[in-house]
Amino acid sequence: MRLSLLTLVACLGRLVAANPLATDDQRTLDQYALSLYHSDAFDTLRGIARAQYIKTLKKYHVPITEQTSSDVDTAINELVFSSIQKSVNADPANPRVYWVDTASRTHDWYGLHVVGGRYSYDNPDCIYRLIPISDKYTYKIHGRKFGNGVADFSFSLISNPNSQNTVHALYGKDLQVNDDGSYTITISSSHSDAPNHIRSNGKAVQLFVRHNLGDWATETPDALRVEIVDKPAHPKQYTKKDTIAYAKQNLRESTFFYGFGALDFKTYTQPVNHPKSPEQSQILGTLTSQAQSFAPFDLEDDQALVVTLTQGKSTYFVVPIYTDGMITTQPDKRLVSLNNKQSFQNHNGSYTYVISKQDPGVHNWLDTSGRKTGTMMIRWQGLPTSGDGPKGIHVYPQVVPFSRLKDVLPKETRYVSHAQRQKQLQERVQNYNRLHYQ
Ligand SMILES: *[C@@H]1O[C@H](CO)[C@@H](O)[C@H](O)[C@H]1NC(C)=O
């Protein structure tokens, strides 16, 4: 009886809120991107990207085992696809909403086998969508929020799809939504104090939209549609040749921004097994609503990295674990990330995680997926943009022998049985599939 009622509720829920990611534009763009991916146009650049990643890892004495090598290959293939995905929807006179930066969607997605396109430090909680923009035109983004919406979201106008460089942004808390959940955002180069307006300029090329889901079972990203208001009669045509050239440019830039910038400069320059408390960002006085902590890990089979952290003023945070290629491993099936809503909280409001290869039997386990080395990027979002955002956020890491875990974990730690772990993992798969398959 209970089961059938649940099934009914699930069916109704589906009717009311069909997956907002399963659109015709998504299918068309995925199809086009895949056709370019399966050509040989990117073979040379793929090799250069691979060499850059390996060079960085060797510089920091990371042993290039068969596992590491295959992790880098996987990451580079996804980097190539992401560069193409950023290019097939790059015409600001013909804008579409395109969901990108996902792990592979290999079944039941309009019959397509969509390969992964995660380019650097994917967040399994996050739905990323991009819309091409030019300051020559005026756009309306028609949005629709479902229920109470998601844990955190933002609309960033960026000047480079690879390094981002935000021109202007509209943050979740500032978005004005009608009673029925609908809203309209305008984007143009004109100045306006009207709500939900984002001002573009000559540098802006893309609107990058992030929806972070805290509770995967109930939160749904907004439905989005883009309208160009004053489309010119004869806009420049984007040919296949243009698209390939742009994808190559993206791949070259990505190789630098991620292979050097993210992997080397941001991550491997940090102490091993020691994620630090995030510092206040003062880059050119920009406002920050996000703080992050990067670190490489290197753990023996009988070791665990115990990390206790505080939430500070953030509304949302997530602790994801990556391979040395900076992508998560099977984010649907493995515990490679936990956000604040998915985690067990200590009595004093902090959170404690065990990062290890072996299952430690605690709720807050982060699985290294059999890897000895890899990386992490902890992030806190929804921070006040006044500048003292990261204040009150602390990270306390400690490497301990696996056998001594009980001695260092808080008394209140939630331990899980084998059956409870199976349930936690089953729910993860089910909730992930709700959005990632059609
Ligand atoms: C909060 O609890 C954690 C886990 O027991 C502990 O490690 C930490 O020191 C506590 N923080 C404070 C400020 O007492």
Short mmCIF file of all heavy atoms in Angstrom, two decimals, residues 1-13:
data_model
loop_
_atom_site.label_atom_id
_atom_site.label_comp_id
_atom_site.label_asym_id
_atom_site.label_seq_id
_atom_site.Cartn_x
_atom_site.Cartn_y
_atom_site.Cartn_z
N MET A 1 0.84 -1.20 0.00
CA MET A 1 0.00 0.00 0.00
C MET A 1 0.88 1.25 0.00
O MET A 1 0.73 2.14 -0.83
CB MET A 1 -0.91 -0.04 1.24
CG MET A 1 -1.91 1.13 1.30
SD MET A 1 -3.01 1.11 -0.12
CE MET A 1 -3.42 2.82 -0.27
N ARG A 2 1.85 1.25 0.96
CA ARG A 2 2.71 2.41 1.09
C ARG A 2 3.52 2.62 -0.21
O ARG A 2 3.64 3.72 -0.72
CB ARG A 2 3.64 2.20 2.28
CG ARG A 2 4.38 3.46 2.63
CD ARG A 2 4.99 3.36 3.99
NE ARG A 2 6.05 4.33 4.06
CZ ARG A 2 7.32 4.03 3.84
NH1 ARG A 2 7.68 2.80 3.58
NH2 ARG A 2 8.23 4.97 3.89
N LEU A 3 3.97 1.49 -0.73
CA LEU A 3 4.76 1.55 -1.96
C LEU A 3 3.98 2.16 -3.11
O LEU A 3 4.45 3.04 -3.82
CB LEU A 3 5.21 0.13 -2.33
CG LEU A 3 6.70 -0.14 -2.22
CD1 LEU A 3 7.02 -1.49 -2.80
CD2 LEU A 3 7.49 0.96 -2.93
N SER A 4 2.75 1.69 -3.28
CA SER A 4 1.98 2.15 -4.43
C SER A 4 1.64 3.64 -4.29
O SER A 4 1.58 4.36 -5.27
CB SER A 4 0.72 1.32 -4.62
OG SER A 4 -0.08 1.45 -3.48
N LEU A 5 1.45 4.07 -3.06
CA LEU A 5 1.15 5.49 -2.85
C LEU A 5 2.38 6.32 -3.25
O LEU A 5 2.28 7.34 -3.94
CB LEU A 5 0.79 5.73 -1.37
CG LEU A 5 0.31 7.16 -1.07
CD1 LEU A 5 -0.99 7.45 -1.81
CD2 LEU A 5 0.09 7.35 0.43
N LEU A 6 3.54 5.82 -2.82
CA LEU A 6 4.79 6.52 -3.17
C LEU A 6 4.96 6.60 -4.69
O LEU A 6 5.35 7.62 -5.24
CB LEU A 6 6.00 5.80 -2.56
CG LEU A 6 6.29 6.11 -1.11
CD1 LEU A 6 7.50 5.32 -0.64
CD2 LEU A 6 6.54 7.60 -0.92
N THR A 7 4.64 5.49 -5.34
CA THR A 7 4.77 5.45 -6.80
C THR A 7 3.85 6.49 -7.43
O THR A 7 4.23 7.21 -8.35
CB THR A 7 4.40 4.04 -7.32
OG1 THR A 7 5.06 3.09 -6.52
CG2 THR A 7 4.80 3.87 -8.76
N LEU A 8 2.64 6.56 -6.89
CA LEU A 8 1.67 7.52 -7.42
C LEU A 8 2.17 8.95 -7.25
O LEU A 8 2.13 9.75 -8.19
CB LEU A 8 0.34 7.34 -6.67
CG LEU A 8 -0.82 8.22 -7.16
CD1 LEU A 8 -1.22 7.81 -8.57
CD2 LEU A 8 -2.01 8.10 -6.22
N VAL A 9 2.69 9.23 -6.06
CA VAL A 9 3.20 10.57 -5.78
C VAL A 9 4.36 10.89 -6.74
O VAL A 9 4.43 11.97 -7.31
CB VAL A 9 3.66 10.70 -4.31
CG1 VAL A 9 4.41 12.01 -4.09
CG2 VAL A 9 2.45 10.64 -3.38
N ALA A 10 5.21 9.89 -6.95
CA ALA A 10 6.35 10.09 -7.85
C ALA A 10 5.86 10.39 -9.27
O ALA A 10 6.39 11.26 -9.95
CB ALA A 10 7.24 8.85 -7.84
N CYS A 11 4.81 9.69 -9.70
CA CYS A 11 4.28 9.89 -11.05
C CYS A 11 3.68 11.30 -11.17
O CYS A 11 3.91 12.00 -12.15
CB CYS A 11 3.20 8.88 -11.38
SG CYS A 11 3.86 7.24 -11.63
N LEU A 12 2.94 11.70 -10.16
CA LEU A 12 2.34 13.03 -10.18
C LEU A 12 3.44 14.09 -10.22
O LEU A 12 3.36 15.04 -10.99
CB LEU A 12 1.46 13.25 -8.94
CG LEU A 12 0.11 12.54 -8.98
CD1 LEU A 12 -0.62 12.73 -7.66
CD2 LEU A 12 -0.74 13.05 -10.12
N GLY A 13 4.46 13.88 -9.39
CA GLY A 13 5.58 14.81 -9.35
C GLY A 13 6.21 14.96 -10.71
O GLY A 13 6.57 16.04 -11.13
#
